[in-house]
Amino acid sequence: MTSPSQLTVAGKSTQADEGGPGGQPAGLSPRQLMWRRFKRDRTGVVSACAVLFFFAVAVLAPVISSLYGKDPYTTYGLDRPELLDPLTGYPMKPNGGIDGEFWFGIEPKLGRDVLTQLVYGIRTSLLIGLAATLLSTITGIVVGVVAGYLGGRTDYFLGRLIDLLLSFPQQLFFVAFMPVVTALFVSPQKETPTYFRVTALVTVLWLLGWMQLARLLRGQVLSLREREFVEAAKVTGASPWRIVRKELLPNLGTPIMVQSTLMLPGFVTTEAALSFLGVGVVEPTPDWGRMFAKGANFYEGDITYMFFPGIAMVVFVVAFNLLGDSVRDAMDPKTRR
């Protein structure tokens, strides 16, 4: 049966269109309200488009390479001596060799194509960053919810573990742990396979990257477990797993999503830093950090080689950070900037 407030009279809009209490449209679910607020945020929409563009480039890297007709491994400068200066090894053409054939120019000394290196480098960095973010998010959720909900000794020991891991100087441990992890499984006389380096990078980033989310969720759960709806669920005989799944996790969506969107660019830049220092991805695998390392050796004679990966990295990190802020504002309008 339709209530009088839901009827449309003389062409007037319904209550769902006119707005409900507090200025929020009535008849819409929280997810629909969040989506409506997010679409009104131009900064968030532009940032989301930029993020989707990077993911599309990473997924379609082989297609882009095929259509472009180049790959990131062929040494075009060595195969065609006219592309590089025989004395300095820098591109013969100005601006790093940018022309109609090589859209972003070529790499000094070897003459590899910069565009395909950048496209596949984005693919490598995003793959590592996504895997580390997923593992860290799951670990942070489990540890944070368990510590906050159970409390007592469990909360004490997990809290001290989090404090211990947070006390480590992470950048230093990232650099120190990578050679240790690879040395445990690969003989120093053998070359470390690329897949193992990627696995080791993901493992190190994961082990040292979940604590911030766990501490944040622990505090949220400590507050939520005293709320009336949780007490009511306990009175009805609901199991702890059901309370966590039905009552707590739905109310933790905002911090989990926001923290994850901030975690991913952090992992990507950390992975690039490790590759830049020579303890991450190495030749010939394309990678953002490796491109920066090569560019640091060539900037005096060819600053263009570092220009494109630098701009791409800045846009990626800024877009993700702005997207995280916009998602937070859309999910919790009380925190609007």
Side-chain angles (χ1 to χ4, degrees):
M1 183 174 179
T2 305
S3 64
S5 62
Q6 294 173 317
L7 295 175
T8 302
V9 181
K12 294 182 179 181
S13 61
T14 64
Q15 183 179 356
D17 295 326
E18 292 173 356
Q24 295 293 348
L28 296 178
S29 67
R31 183 174 299 179
Q32 291 172 321
L33 290 173
M34 185 205 74
W35 177 241
R36 175 174 291 191
R37 287 192 293 264
F38 181 78
K39 289 192 297 184
R40 292 173 180 171
D41 188 343
R42 294 182 179 179
T43 301
V45 172
V46 173
S47 300
C49 292
V51 168
L52 290 176
F53 171 77
F54 278 100
F55 277 100
V57 168
V59 173
L60 300 175
V63 178
I64 296 173
S65 177
S66 177
L67 294 175
Y68 180 51
K70 304 288 189 303
D71 65 76
Y73 305 104
T74 302
T75 54
Y76 298 99
L78 299 182
D79 299 337
R80 297 164 54 186
E82 72 275 7
L83 296 177
L84 298 176
D85 189 307
L87 297 178
T88 63
Y90 292 114
M92 292 288 290
K93 295 183 178 180
N95 300 319
I98 297 176
D99 58 14
E101 183 180 5
F102 299 97
W103 295 358
F104 285 8
I106 57 177
E107 177 188 15
K109 306 299 182 180
L110 297 178
R112 292 179 293 193
D113 181 71
V114 176
L115 175 58
T116 53
Q117 284 196 69
L118 178 59
V119 169
Y120 275 88
I122 293 173
R123 183 186 181 97
T124 302
S125 299
L126 276 184
L127 172 64
I128 295 173
L130 274 175
T133 300
L134 180 61
L135 292 173
S136 298
T137 300
I138 294 174
T139 305
I141 292 173
V142 172
V143 175
V145 171
V146 168
Y149 183 74
L150 296 182
R153 292 185 177 181
T154 302
D155 181 28
Y156 176 81
F157 287 115
L158 290 178
R160 300 297 75 75
L161 174 63
I162 293 173
D163 292 338
L164 176 64
L165 293 176
L166 285 175
S167 67
F168 292 164
Q170 289 196 357
Q171 297 298 331
L172 178 60
F173 272 79
F174 282 140
V175 175
F177 276 11
M178 273 301 298
V180 173
V181 172
T182 54
L184 288 175
F185 298 95
V186 180
S187 172
Q189 288 77 25
K190 297 182 180 179
E191 183 178 356
T192 305
T194 300
Y195 77 88
F196 186 84
R197 282 190 172 274
V198 171
T199 303
L201 274 172
V202 172
T203 302
V204 171
L205 293 174
W206 164 45
L207 292 177
L208 296 176
W210 56 268
M211 296 82 70
Q212 294 284 358
L213 178 60
R215 170 174 279 186
L216 176 64
L217 296 183
R218 171 190 172 273
Q220 294 284 334
V221 174
L222 284 174
S223 175
L224 289 172
R225 72 176 185 176
E226 306 298 332
R227 301 285 293 274
E228 295 81 0
F229 61 90
V230 176
E231 294 296 333
K234 292 180 180 178
V235 170
T236 60
S239 65
W241 167 242
R242 181 175 177 82
I243 293 174
V244 169
R245 184 166 53 92
K246 293 292 186 179
E247 307 296 341
L248 295 180
L249 286 179
N251 290 282
L252 298 175
T254 299
I256 291 174
M257 185 172 295
V258 173
Q259 193 68 19
S260 298
T261 56
L262 298 177
M263 209 183 291
L264 178 57
F267 282 141
V268 170
T269 53
T270 301
E271 182 276 329
L274 292 175
S275 297
F276 178 85
L277 295 173
V279 295
V281 177
V282 297
E283 292 278 9
T285 305
D287 181 79
W288 251 337
R290 190 185 59 73
M291 293 187 72
F292 283 121
K294 299 281 283 188
N297 298 324
F298 303 143
Y299 74 94
E300 293 183 353
D302 182 18
I303 191 66
T304 310
Y305 181 73
M306 188 180 285
F307 177 78
F308 291 108
I311 292 296
M313 178 71 77
V314 170
V315 172
F316 175 80
V317 173
V318 171
F320 246 106
N321 288 336
L322 292 177
L323 178 62
D325 291 339
S326 298
V327 170
R328 180 194 60 198
D329 293 341
M331 299 185 74
D332 189 3
K334 295 180 182 179
T335 63
R336 290 193 68 84
R337 300 183 292 274

